[in-house]
PDB file of all heavy atoms in Angstrom:
ATOM      1  N   ASN O 365      -5.065   2.524   4.813  1.00  0.00           N
ATOM      2  CA  ASN O 365      -5.875   2.997   3.643  1.00  0.00           C
ATOM      3  C   ASN O 365      -6.837   4.149   3.904  1.00  0.00           C
ATOM      4  O   ASN O 365      -7.119   4.897   2.960  1.00  0.00           O
ATOM      5  CB  ASN O 365      -6.645   1.755   3.068  1.00  0.00           C
ATOM      6  CG  ASN O 365      -5.713   0.740   2.407  1.00  0.00           C
ATOM      7  OD1 ASN O 365      -4.595   1.078   2.115  1.00  0.00           O
ATOM      8  ND2 ASN O 365      -6.130  -0.477   2.275  1.00  0.00           N
ATOM      9  N   GLN O 366      -7.365   4.132   5.105  1.00  0.00           N
ATOM     10  CA  GLN O 366      -8.231   5.233   5.543  1.00  0.00           C
ATOM     11  C   GLN O 366      -7.521   6.608   5.305  1.00  0.00           C
ATOM     12  O   GLN O 366      -8.154   7.544   4.767  1.00  0.00           O
ATOM     13  CB  GLN O 366      -8.609   5.063   6.995  1.00  0.00           C
ATOM     14  CG  GLN O 366      -9.635   3.986   7.292  1.00  0.00           C
ATOM     15  CD  GLN O 366     -10.950   4.433   6.800  1.00  0.00           C
ATOM     16  OE1 GLN O 366     -11.621   5.308   7.312  1.00  0.00           O
ATOM     17  NE2 GLN O 366     -11.514   3.667   5.844  1.00  0.00           N
ATOM     18  N   LEU O 367      -6.288   6.689   5.797  1.00  0.00           N
ATOM     19  CA  LEU O 367      -5.495   7.870   5.631  1.00  0.00           C
ATOM     20  C   LEU O 367      -5.254   8.288   4.107  1.00  0.00           C
ATOM     21  O   LEU O 367      -5.435   9.343   3.626  1.00  0.00           O
ATOM     22  CB  LEU O 367      -4.183   7.782   6.357  1.00  0.00           C
ATOM     23  CG  LEU O 367      -4.138   7.752   7.813  1.00  0.00           C
ATOM     24  CD1 LEU O 367      -2.805   7.465   8.335  1.00  0.00           C
ATOM     25  CD2 LEU O 367      -4.785   9.070   8.434  1.00  0.00           C
ATOM     26  N   ILE O 368      -4.940   7.246   3.340  1.00  0.00           N
ATOM     27  CA  ILE O 368      -4.620   7.490   1.958  1.00  0.00           C
ATOM     28  C   ILE O 368      -5.869   7.883   1.218  1.00  0.00           C
ATOM     29  O   ILE O 368      -5.853   8.850   0.448  1.00  0.00           O
ATOM     30  CB  ILE O 368      -4.001   6.127   1.315  1.00  0.00           C
ATOM     31  CG1 ILE O 368      -2.632   5.826   1.952  1.00  0.00           C
ATOM     32  CG2 ILE O 368      -3.668   6.333  -0.195  1.00  0.00           C
ATOM     33  CD1 ILE O 368      -2.113   4.482   1.598  1.00  0.00           C
ATOM     34  N   ILE O 369      -6.975   7.146   1.343  1.00  0.00           N
ATOM     35  CA  ILE O 369      -8.243   7.415   0.642  1.00  0.00           C
ATOM     36  C   ILE O 369      -8.691   8.821   0.955  1.00  0.00           C
ATOM     37  O   ILE O 369      -9.082   9.587   0.088  1.00  0.00           O
ATOM     38  CB  ILE O 369      -9.288   6.368   0.930  1.00  0.00           C
ATOM     39  CG1 ILE O 369      -8.889   4.972   0.443  1.00  0.00           C
ATOM     40  CG2 ILE O 369     -10.640   6.787   0.361  1.00  0.00           C
ATOM     41  CD1 ILE O 369      -9.701   3.782   0.999  1.00  0.00           C
ATOM     42  N   SER O 370      -8.707   9.135   2.276  1.00  0.00           N
ATOM     43  CA  SER O 370      -9.259  10.497   2.682  1.00  0.00           C
ATOM     44  C   SER O 370      -8.307  11.548   2.150  1.00  0.00           C
ATOM     45  O   SER O 370      -8.892  12.653   1.778  1.00  0.00           O
ATOM     46  CB  SER O 370      -9.303  10.523   4.231  1.00  0.00           C
ATOM     47  OG  SER O 370      -8.021  10.449   4.773  1.00  0.00           O
ATOM     48  N   THR O 371      -7.072  11.389   2.117  1.00  0.00           N
ATOM     49  CA  THR O 371      -6.168  12.395   1.492  1.00  0.00           C
ATOM     50  C   THR O 371      -6.362  12.576   0.019  1.00  0.00           C
ATOM     51  O   THR O 371      -6.511  13.697  -0.444  1.00  0.00           O
ATOM     52  CB  THR O 371      -4.696  12.027   1.758  1.00  0.00           C
ATOM     53  OG1 THR O 371      -4.565  11.846   3.186  1.00  0.00           O
ATOM     54  CG2 THR O 371      -3.707  13.109   1.368  1.00  0.00           C
ATOM     55  N   VAL O 372      -6.427  11.533  -0.728  1.00  0.00           N
ATOM     56  CA  VAL O 372      -6.654  11.601  -2.146  1.00  0.00           C
ATOM     57  C   VAL O 372      -8.012  12.311  -2.503  1.00  0.00           C
ATOM     58  O   VAL O 372      -8.135  13.211  -3.194  1.00  0.00           O
ATOM     59  CB  VAL O 372      -6.620  10.195  -2.829  1.00  0.00           C
ATOM     60  CG1 VAL O 372      -7.011  10.235  -4.307  1.00  0.00           C
ATOM     61  CG2 VAL O 372      -5.188   9.720  -2.751  1.00  0.00           C
ATOM     62  N   LEU O 373      -9.101  11.814  -1.817  1.00  0.00           N
ATOM     63  CA  LEU O 373     -10.458  12.407  -2.040  1.00  0.00           C
ATOM     64  C   LEU O 373     -10.485  13.839  -1.626  1.00  0.00           C
ATOM     65  O   LEU O 373     -10.988  14.698  -2.318  1.00  0.00           O
ATOM     66  CB  LEU O 373     -11.451  11.619  -1.331  1.00  0.00           C
ATOM     67  CG  LEU O 373     -11.771  10.191  -1.738  1.00  0.00           C
ATOM     68  CD1 LEU O 373     -12.813   9.545  -0.903  1.00  0.00           C
ATOM     69  CD2 LEU O 373     -12.281  10.167  -3.141  1.00  0.00           C
ATOM     70  N   MET O 374      -9.828  14.140  -0.521  1.00  0.00           N
ATOM     71  CA  MET O 374      -9.824  15.531   0.010  1.00  0.00           C
ATOM     72  C   MET O 374      -9.040  16.510  -0.953  1.00  0.00           C
ATOM     73  O   MET O 374      -9.469  17.590  -1.056  1.00  0.00           O
ATOM     74  CB  MET O 374      -9.159  15.608   1.382  1.00  0.00           C
ATOM     75  CG  MET O 374      -9.437  16.913   2.154  1.00  0.00           C
ATOM     76  SD  MET O 374     -11.142  17.085   2.453  1.00  0.00           S
ATOM     77  CE  MET O 374     -11.144  18.910   2.452  1.00  0.00           C
ATOM     78  N   THR O 375      -7.966  15.930  -1.529  1.00  0.00           N
ATOM     79  CA  THR O 375      -7.313  16.838  -2.515  1.00  0.00           C
ATOM     80  C   THR O 375      -8.185  17.227  -3.718  1.00  0.00           C
ATOM     81  O   THR O 375      -8.226  18.348  -4.109  1.00  0.00           O
ATOM     82  CB  THR O 375      -6.045  16.029  -3.197  1.00  0.00           C
ATOM     83  OG1 THR O 375      -5.338  15.479  -2.036  1.00  0.00           O
ATOM     84  CG2 THR O 375      -5.158  16.990  -3.986  1.00  0.00           C
ATOM     85  N   ILE O 376      -9.058  16.244  -4.160  1.00  0.00           N
ATOM     86  CA  ILE O 376     -10.008  16.568  -5.254  1.00  0.00           C
ATOM     87  C   ILE O 376     -11.064  17.549  -4.768  1.00  0.00           C
ATOM     88  O   ILE O 376     -11.465  18.566  -5.314  1.00  0.00           O
ATOM     89  CB  ILE O 376     -10.692  15.270  -5.733  1.00  0.00           C
ATOM     90  CG1 ILE O 376      -9.623  14.339  -6.234  1.00  0.00           C
ATOM     91  CG2 ILE O 376     -11.769  15.584  -6.830  1.00  0.00           C
ATOM     92  CD1 ILE O 376     -10.128  12.880  -6.473  1.00  0.00           C
ATOM     93  N   GLY O 377     -11.445  17.334  -3.440  1.00  0.00           N
ATOM     94  CA  GLY O 377     -12.554  18.205  -2.824  1.00  0.00           C
ATOM     95  C   GLY O 377     -12.084  19.663  -2.750  1.00  0.00           C
ATOM     96  O   GLY O 377     -12.799  20.598  -3.033  1.00  0.00           O
ATOM     97  N   VAL O 378     -10.784  19.797  -2.251  1.00  0.00           N
ATOM     98  CA  VAL O 378     -10.175  21.209  -2.124  1.00  0.00           C
ATOM     99  C   VAL O 378     -10.088  21.851  -3.438  1.00  0.00           C
ATOM    100  O   VAL O 378     -10.353  23.039  -3.504  1.00  0.00           O
ATOM    101  CB  VAL O 378      -8.836  21.025  -1.321  1.00  0.00           C
ATOM    102  CG1 VAL O 378      -8.157  22.454  -1.335  1.00  0.00           C
ATOM    103  CG2 VAL O 378      -9.088  20.567   0.070  1.00  0.00           C
ATOM    104  N   ALA O 379      -9.705  21.079  -4.473  1.00  0.00           N
ATOM    105  CA  ALA O 379      -9.589  21.732  -5.810  1.00  0.00           C
ATOM    106  C   ALA O 379     -10.948  22.244  -6.285  1.00  0.00           C
ATOM    107  O   ALA O 379     -10.902  23.374  -6.770  1.00  0.00           O
ATOM    108  CB  ALA O 379      -9.143  20.615  -6.812  1.00  0.00           C
ATOM    109  N   ILE O 380     -11.938  21.477  -6.046  1.00  0.00           N
ATOM    110  CA  ILE O 380     -13.317  21.909  -6.435  1.00  0.00           C
ATOM    111  C   ILE O 380     -13.699  23.230  -5.576  1.00  0.00           C
ATOM    112  O   ILE O 380     -14.120  24.187  -6.168  1.00  0.00           O
ATOM    113  CB  ILE O 380     -14.384  20.871  -6.287  1.00  0.00           C
ATOM    114  CG1 ILE O 380     -14.061  19.651  -7.216  1.00  0.00           C
ATOM    115  CG2 ILE O 380     -15.787  21.322  -6.534  1.00  0.00           C
ATOM    116  CD1 ILE O 380     -14.758  18.448  -6.956  1.00  0.00           C
ATOM    117  N   VAL O 381     -13.469  23.119  -4.354  1.00  0.00           N
ATOM    118  CA  VAL O 381     -13.885  24.235  -3.421  1.00  0.00           C
ATOM    119  C   VAL O 381     -13.118  25.488  -3.772  1.00  0.00           C
ATOM    120  O   VAL O 381     -13.680  26.566  -3.851  1.00  0.00           O
ATOM    121  CB  VAL O 381     -13.621  23.794  -1.957  1.00  0.00           C
ATOM    122  CG1 VAL O 381     -13.648  25.135  -1.043  1.00  0.00           C
ATOM    123  CG2 VAL O 381     -14.592  22.828  -1.451  1.00  0.00           C
ATOM    124  N   SER O 382     -11.844  25.325  -4.079  1.00  0.00           N
ATOM    125  CA  SER O 382     -10.999  26.544  -4.463  1.00  0.00           C
ATOM    126  C   SER O 382     -11.487  27.158  -5.731  1.00  0.00           C
ATOM    127  O   SER O 382     -11.370  28.345  -5.858  1.00  0.00           O
ATOM    128  CB  SER O 382      -9.508  26.083  -4.589  1.00  0.00           C
ATOM    129  OG  SER O 382      -9.094  25.485  -3.396  1.00  0.00           O
ATOM    130  N   TRP O 383     -12.014  26.275  -6.615  1.00  0.00           N
ATOM    131  CA  TRP O 383     -12.554  26.828  -7.878  1.00  0.00           C
ATOM    132  C   TRP O 383     -13.844  27.518  -7.717  1.00  0.00           C
ATOM    133  O   TRP O 383     -14.094  28.591  -8.281  1.00  0.00           O
ATOM    134  CB  TRP O 383     -12.606  25.568  -8.885  1.00  0.00           C
ATOM    135  CG  TRP O 383     -13.141  26.006 -10.226  1.00  0.00           C
ATOM    136  CD1 TRP O 383     -12.683  26.970 -11.038  1.00  0.00           C
ATOM    137  CD2 TRP O 383     -14.266  25.392 -10.875  1.00  0.00           C
ATOM    138  NE1 TRP O 383     -13.461  27.022 -12.136  1.00  0.00           N
ATOM    139  CE2 TRP O 383     -14.446  26.031 -12.104  1.00  0.00           C
ATOM    140  CE3 TRP O 383     -15.142  24.366 -10.507  1.00  0.00           C
ATOM    141  CZ2 TRP O 383     -15.441  25.721 -13.032  1.00  0.00           C
ATOM    142  CZ3 TRP O 383     -16.154  23.944 -11.471  1.00  0.00           C
ATOM    143  CH2 TRP O 383     -16.344  24.733 -12.672  1.00  0.00           C
TER     144      TRP O 383
END
Side-chain angles (χ1 to χ4, degrees):
N365 289 341
Q366 285 287 299
L367 290 175
I368 298 168
I369 294 165
S370 62
T371 304
V372 171
L373 291 178
M374 193 63 208
T375 309
I376 300 164
V378 172
I380 295 166
V381 166
S382 304
W383 177 55

